[in-house]
Amino acid sequence: MKLNQALKMALSSIMTNKMRSFLTMLGIIVGVMAVTLLISIVQGATNSITNQLSTLGGSNLTCGVLKNSPRLTLEEVEALEEEPSIGRVSASLKGNQTVRAAGNSYDATIYGITGNYIDMNSLELASGRGILKIDNEYRLNTCVVGVEVAKKLYGNTDVIDQEVRIAGQTYRIIGVLNESGVNSLGSTDQDIYIPFTNYQRMTGQSGVTQFDAAAASEDCLAEAEKFLNDFLKEKYGKDDYMVINMGSIIDMMEEIYNTLSYLLGGIAGISLLVGGIGIMNIMLVSVTERTREIGIRKAIGAQKADITIQFLIESVVLSMMGGLIGMGISGGILGIVNLFVKDYHFAITIPVALVAVLFSVGVGIIFGIYPANKAAKLKPIDALRFE
């Protein structure tokens, strides 16, 4: 029997019993939906979070001091740039203040930063400039604000050279950040950045408790990490500091999400197996209903292989149609989710689509072999006598 003829017969049989065929495919539809939705959502979340972490710099090292004595000075931190394996460093302090301007007030997050902070943390300026080394050296009352701060205080973002009162001091706005929105790393829209030395004077803090260091290149990241560990261990002891490798965090996140993808995919795959059992059940019913047809075909010369192929193709077509319908529904659901969730992008990738199709075809083959074999083994004389 030609393959196209077997395909036509399979489609004809499926269309003859539309409702039964749909209910048979339902298990595969749900299974494919579950697999593609879960894996696509995990992949979308993984890509979004790792991309956001990557903006912080895969070669960045975040260092924290867990006790205040002995104090780590800003001069000591800036001197770390003399180490060949370290390219740049930036220190930061953080707190909350109510700021005022133009008769309005706003509860903002205040950061005291050094000159490299904005570049090292991939903050983008919509206008103006960032905090420079000179701002810290001369303790200039300058600040960079987020868009939400500018809008709440002045009603717009055209605020360069406007003034804002922070802790009783007047600061001149020299820069406005691009709108960041809310993501897994938070938002910069409600933040104000002032020189690190000004923040120290404002809060009475004289030491550095946290700083970032960027390796001179990715090749010397391990060397830079070892140097910082040795430096802080000598000053504070074994357990009173931390050095966090952003590249390691990104790798760890990807590994966690990959494991989660396999786990969720495996759980969702169980519903595909259930759908396969449904296909086998209906195919066995179909063999019983068409026993006389099988007998007639064998009597006029159909071979065992012809019967096997006919029923196997019917099983695969049922399974594949269910898989395609399931993917189509998944794509529609993900499209709707994307309309409401702006920080992530969910889509069925080509590898996920191929896995879903191949899995559904495999289910059709595996669970269609037994009914096809049973049909092929029927003896013509017994099949013709079947009532």
Side-chain angles (χ1 to χ4, degrees):
M1 180 191 292
K2 293 183 179 180
L3 192 61
N4 61 344
Q5 185 181 356
L7 184 60
K8 287 178 182 178
M9 291 182 69
L11 290 172
S12 175
S13 175
I14 291 170
M15 295 307 293
T16 301
N17 299 284
K18 295 184 181 67
M19 181 56 71
R20 188 173 75 178
S21 297
F22 173 74
L23 293 175
T24 304
M25 289 188 287
L26 197 57
I28 300 297
I29 292 171
V30 173
V32 169
M33 277 179 59
V35 170
T36 53
L37 280 175
L38 290 175
I39 294 179
S40 297
I41 288 172
V42 169
Q43 284 186 345
T46 302
N47 293 336
S48 179
I49 292 173
T50 52
N51 287 340
Q52 290 166 19
L53 288 173
S54 297
T55 62
L56 299 179
S59 60
N60 277 9
L61 299 159
T62 298
C63 305
V65 177
L66 306 180
K67 68 177 185 178
N68 292 324
S69 180
R71 287 191 177 94
L72 184 64
T73 66
L74 181 59
E75 289 73 21
E76 286 179 299
V77 172
E78 291 179 336
L80 294 173
E81 291 184 350
E82 297 175 8
E83 165 64 25
S85 63
I86 295 177
R88 297 178 297 174
V89 296
S90 70
S92 63
L93 291 167
K94 176 185 176 182
N96 296 306
Q97 288 280 345
T98 299
V99 299
R100 294 176 172 81
N104 300 310
S105 62
Y106 184 73
D107 293 328
T109 302
I110 311 295
Y111 285 84
I113 62 173
T114 55
N116 292 325
Y117 183 91
I118 286 180
D119 287 338
M120 289 180 64
N121 287 273
S122 301
L123 303 182
E124 297 180 353
L125 289 164
S127 59
R129 67 171 178 87
I131 300 295
L132 303 178
K133 187 174 184 179
I134 192 172
D135 295 299
N136 276 285
E137 286 180 353
Y138 292 96
R139 294 187 176 180
L140 300 179
N141 283 8
T142 53
C143 67
V144 174
V145 301
V147 293
E148 185 70 16
V149 176
K151 289 177 180 178
K152 291 293 184 181
L153 295 179
Y154 283 98
N156 60 76
T157 57
D158 186 18
V159 294
I160 300 297
D161 288 330
Q162 298 290 348
E163 294 181 342
V164 57
R165 296 281 291 178
I166 305 173
Q169 295 290 319
T170 300
Y171 283 77
R172 182 172 64 91
I173 300 174
I174 59 171
V176 179
L177 294 174
N178 274 335
E179 186 172 2
S180 68
V182 179
N183 55 48
S184 59
L185 300 178
S187 172
T188 61
D189 296 341
Q190 298 84 29
D191 298 341
I192 297 179
Y193 299 84
I194 65 174
F196 185 86
T197 50
N198 290 52
Y199 191 97
Q200 284 184 313
R201 181 175 59 187
M202 181 175 72
T203 59
Q205 298 186 48
S206 57
V208 177
T209 56
Q210 180 174 320
F211 66 92
D212 297 324
S217 68
E218 291 191 7
D219 294 335
C220 56
L221 179 60
E223 184 182 347
E225 185 175 4
K226 182 180 183 305
F227 172 81
L228 290 170
N229 273 296
D230 292 342
F231 169 75
L232 292 171
K233 184 177 180 180
E234 182 180 350
K235 191 171 182 69
Y236 290 100
K238 184 177 180 181
D239 301 319
D240 293 320
Y241 71 91
M242 62 179 181
V243 178
I244 301 173
N245 186 332
M246 292 306 299
S248 298
I249 291 178
I250 293 172
D251 292 340
M252 183 179 67
M253 289 293 294
E254 289 180 343
E255 186 175 342
I256 290 171
Y257 279 110
N258 285 337
T259 303
L260 191 60
S261 294
Y262 295 137
L263 178 62
L264 293 176
I267 293 172
I270 294 173
S271 57
L272 275 175
L273 296 179
V274 173
I277 294 170
I279 287 178
M280 178 187 284
N281 182 46
I282 292 301
M283 291 306 298
L284 287 171
V285 171
S286 180
V287 169
T288 302
E289 288 179 345
R290 295 157 64 186
T291 300
R292 287 180 62 81
E293 174 194 329
I294 294 168
I296 293 170
R297 291 196 60 208
K298 280 200 165 189
I300 60 175
Q303 300 297 312
K304 182 179 178 181
D306 296 328
I307 305 297
T308 302
I309 289 172
Q310 178 189 345
F311 281 90
L312 199 55
I313 286 178
E314 190 172 325
S315 173
V316 170
V317 168
L318 272 171
S319 182
M320 193 168 181
M321 285 176 66
L324 293 174
I325 293 171
M327 275 198 297
I329 296 173
S330 297
I333 293 172
L334 292 175
I336 294 171
V337 171
N338 285 329
L339 294 176
F340 296 96
V341 182
K342 301 296 183 182
D343 298 324
Y344 299 93
H345 179 70
F346 303 113
I348 300 175
T349 61
I350 293 176
V352 172
L354 286 175
V355 168
V357 170
L358 292 176
F359 208 111
S360 59
V361 170
V363 167
I365 293 173
I366 292 169
F367 288 93
I369 285 176
Y370 177 72
N373 234 6
K374 183 179 179 182
K377 287 180 178 179
L378 288 173
K379 295 179 180 179
I381 188 67
D382 295 331
L384 288 170
R385 286 176 177 174
F386 183 79
E387 294 295 336

